[in-house]
Amino acid sequence: MSKLNTNSNVYTFIYSAVMVVIVAVLLAVVSQALAPKQQANILLDKQKQILGALKVDYSAGNPADIYMVLVNDTLTYGGASEHSEPIEVYVANLNGATKYILPLSGKGLWGGIGGYLALDEDKNTIYGVNFNHESETPGLGAKIVEPEFRSQFEGKHIRNAANEVVSVAVLKAGKHAEGQEQVDAISGATITSSGVSTMLEVNLAEYEEFLKVESNEGKEEDHVESEN
Amino acid sequence: MLSQKTKDTLLGPLNANNPVVVQILGICSALAVTVQLKPALVMGIAVTIIVAMSNVIVSLIRNTIPMRVRIIVQLVVVAALVTLVSEVLKAFAYDVAMQLSVYLGLIITNCILMGRLEAFAMTNNAWDSLLDGLGNGLGYAIILVIVAFVRELLGSGQLLGFQVIPQWCYDHGYENCGMMLMPAMALILVGCVIWVHRSLNDKEAK
């Protein structure tokens, strides 16, 4: 400590500069080297979540392979509203029935929430749904990813009797939604629950173009089967 | 095998010199991650690893660090380490990385790290610093686990996500304590732990 004057200004400046360069190079190299693997993981995670929304058990096989077999088309719609990015809808063929998967994204209490909504061919009945979140409170808001909450959505309809898209409301037990179907909110996680509700409403509005096409012939009951 | 000093360095923070209940460090993150046992365990392990590693690094370069910018240097070491660990986890253990998500970032601001770097690693050799880091990390983890155990058990009737309180208790009118899920209860529980800890240690002193 004594030979070199570690308290001089010159030393402090040089030390800081060298430290910053070393750390920057180190982080840049690691980030570059690991990027392909991270991208692959993110893609795989997305595929797993879509399979989750389709209620497909992928534990036995390779999720990526199962995904490739099931999801065989992507519909792209030019940015409606202010969204510059095109909106994508995935088309899956599940045991002969067509399912549409709509990616969702919104805001929870602490950070972003997202998910995938799988619709039946009538573009009305919810087949399954999967949610994810960045940083909701464990034991409260984070419960949106659990099957107990998600399974409530199955079989609900996103359209009202007049065939307008009205989404599904997430409401506290005891409250009643006018003109739309509802599921129970997670008690103690009011903001995350209403975040899910808002996310569904806002995102479904953005899928207007996709949902509109069918609205002329769409029926209340589920009709599946037919084409491949 | 271990000298008395080594033993004190490693085991002291587990009880007599516990970072949370005696040094009162790391309280903030103790509030955030103790609603359930699992994130508390994960956070405890992550902090232990990061404290130990950054302690060793800072201890190795301690003689070269300019005194006037030492806090910045320590912070850079910790931030670089946490970033590296999170990058590596995202590439090789994506599920774990997702579990940790926010907590990894929280580690950088955990006062235990800065506290130990400043109080110990700056003046001790690498081996002792490693032990000090491990000891303090584990001491922190123990408190987290105790608080999370109580909060998850009373707050959700579960432990590690499994239902422990049987259904017939609920049928007979038992209800989960919603208060336990609030951050304030973590503070109160930490207070209770400190109380118990103080009264036990006072007896030993007499």
Side-chain angles (χ1 to χ4, degrees):
Chain A
M1 219 181 209
S2 50
K3 282 155 249 162
L4 197 66
N5 181 9
T6 55
N7 284 325
S8 75
N9 284 343
V10 178
Y11 180 83
T12 306
F13 272 116
I14 294 174
Y15 190 93
S16 311
V18 170
M19 174 184 71
V20 168
V21 170
I22 291 176
V23 169
V25 169
L26 183 70
L27 290 182
V29 168
V30 169
S31 167
Q32 281 294 315
L34 297 179
K37 244 183 132 55
Q38 293 175 353
Q39 290 302 323
N41 279 333
I42 291 169
L43 180 67
L44 183 66
D45 187 59
K46 182 180 164 185
Q47 293 175 341
K48 280 184 185 171
Q49 286 190 33
I50 291 178
L51 290 179
L54 287 169
K55 294 182 282 184
V56 174
D57 181 22
Y58 52 80
S59 53
N62 182 348
D65 292 342
I66 299 173
Y67 179 85
M68 284 310 187
V69 174
L70 285 176
V71 180
N72 36 33
D73 198 9
T74 305
L75 305 174
T76 313
Y77 296 92
S81 71
E82 73 270 39
H83 267 255
S84 52
E85 282 178 43
I87 291 168
E88 290 188 329
V89 173
Y90 303 97
V91 185
N93 189 326
L94 199 64
N95 304 325
T98 306
K99 308 286 176 202
Y100 297 104
I101 299 115
L102 285 54
L104 308 169
S105 67
K107 274 203 293 256
L109 172 58
W110 305 112
I113 55 175
Y116 294 92
L117 178 73
L119 291 179
D120 278 338
E121 203 180 359
D122 61 359
K123 298 183 181 176
N124 182 13
T125 315
I126 297 176
Y127 178 71
V129 63
N130 208 352
F131 293 119
N132 59 60
H133 66 94
E134 282 164 18
S135 46
E136 297 310 299
T137 320
L140 291 171
K143 279 188 177 169
I144 59 170
V145 304
E146 288 177 9
E148 289 78 23
F149 178 68
R150 291 191 282 125
S151 60
Q152 294 187 89
F153 286 90
E154 290 163 18
K156 301 276 184 208
H157 300 92
I158 58 167
R159 293 169 193 272
N160 63 9
N163 213 16
E164 294 156 333
V165 176
V166 289
S167 176
V168 173
V170 182
L171 288 174
K172 274 185 188 161
K175 286 201 177 178
H176 201 77
E178 282 298 313
Q180 63 182 139
E181 295 185 18
Q182 65 180 89
V183 299
D184 288 342
I186 296 163
S187 55
T190 314
I191 295 175
T192 311
S193 298
S194 64
V196 171
S197 200
T198 312
M199 172 171 78
L200 283 168
E201 200 183 321
V202 170
N203 281 267
L204 283 174
E206 281 170 3
Y207 287 110
E208 195 187 3
E209 209 173 331
F210 161 74
L211 295 165
K212 181 174 62 186
V213 186
E214 194 84 351
S215 64
N216 306 322
E217 44 194 296
K219 291 272 154 57
E220 266 297 286
E221 326 96 55
D222 330 356
H223 66 93
V224 269
E225 215 53 55
S226 79
E227 60 169 303
N228 195 345
Chain B
M1 187 181 82
L2 293 173
S3 70
Q4 189 57 41
K5 181 171 179 278
T6 333
K7 244 186 200 164
D8 284 349
T9 311
L10 180 63
L11 301 177
L14 293 187
N15 183 19
N17 193 24
N18 188 288
V20 183
V21 302
V22 179
Q23 304 173 45
I24 316 290
L25 292 173
I27 297 281
C28 17
S29 57
L31 307 186
V33 301
T34 51
V35 175
Q36 286 175 320
L37 207 44
K38 196 170 154 196
L41 273 173
V42 172
M43 183 72 172
I45 294 166
V47 166
T48 307
I49 293 168
I50 302 276
V51 182
M53 283 166 71
S54 54
N55 249 2
V56 169
I57 294 173
V58 168
S59 167
L60 287 175
I61 60 168
R62 69 184 187 278
N63 290 338
T64 70
I65 298 176
M67 281 319 267
R68 273 179 291 172
V69 292
R70 65 182 192 284
I71 301 282
I72 298 171
V73 174
Q74 292 162 9
L75 201 60
V76 169
V77 169
V78 174
L81 254 180
V82 169
T83 313
L84 278 181
V85 169
S86 101
E87 291 275 326
V88 169
L89 281 179
K90 269 186 201 149
F92 297 103
Y94 193 76
D95 293 342
V96 180
M98 286 298 101
Q99 281 277 330
L100 286 169
S101 58
V102 274
Y103 305 135
L104 264 182
L106 274 179
I107 294 175
I108 302 178
T109 58
N110 193 317
C111 10
I112 291 181
L113 278 139
M114 300 303 288
R116 292 328 292 169
L117 293 178
E118 181 71 4
F120 198 92
M122 286 299 284
T123 48
N124 285 280
N125 66 36
W127 172 242
D128 285 342
S129 298
L130 174 70
L131 296 177
D132 179 76
L134 288 176
N136 276 284
L138 291 174
Y140 171 75
I142 287 179
I143 304 301
L144 246 57
V145 167
I146 293 174
V147 175
F149 179 87
V150 177
R151 287 183 75 189
E152 191 176 359
L153 182 67
L154 299 182
S156 343
Q158 301 174 331
L159 284 177
L160 285 170
F162 296 105
Q163 194 67 34
V164 231
I165 295 183
Q167 186 58 43
W168 71 263
C169 289
Y170 294 101
D171 295 341
H172 288 72
Y174 175 82
E175 274 192 43
N176 286 327
C177 174
M179 268 290 278
M180 281 291 169
L181 300 174
M182 304 296 159
M185 277 315 286
L187 198 59
I188 293 171
L189 283 172
V190 169
C192 294
V193 173
I194 293 176
W195 177 25
V196 172
H197 183 264
R198 289 272 155 90
S199 52
L200 283 178
N201 279 21
D202 277 358
K203 255 176 219 153
E204 275 171 19
K206 281 166 200 167

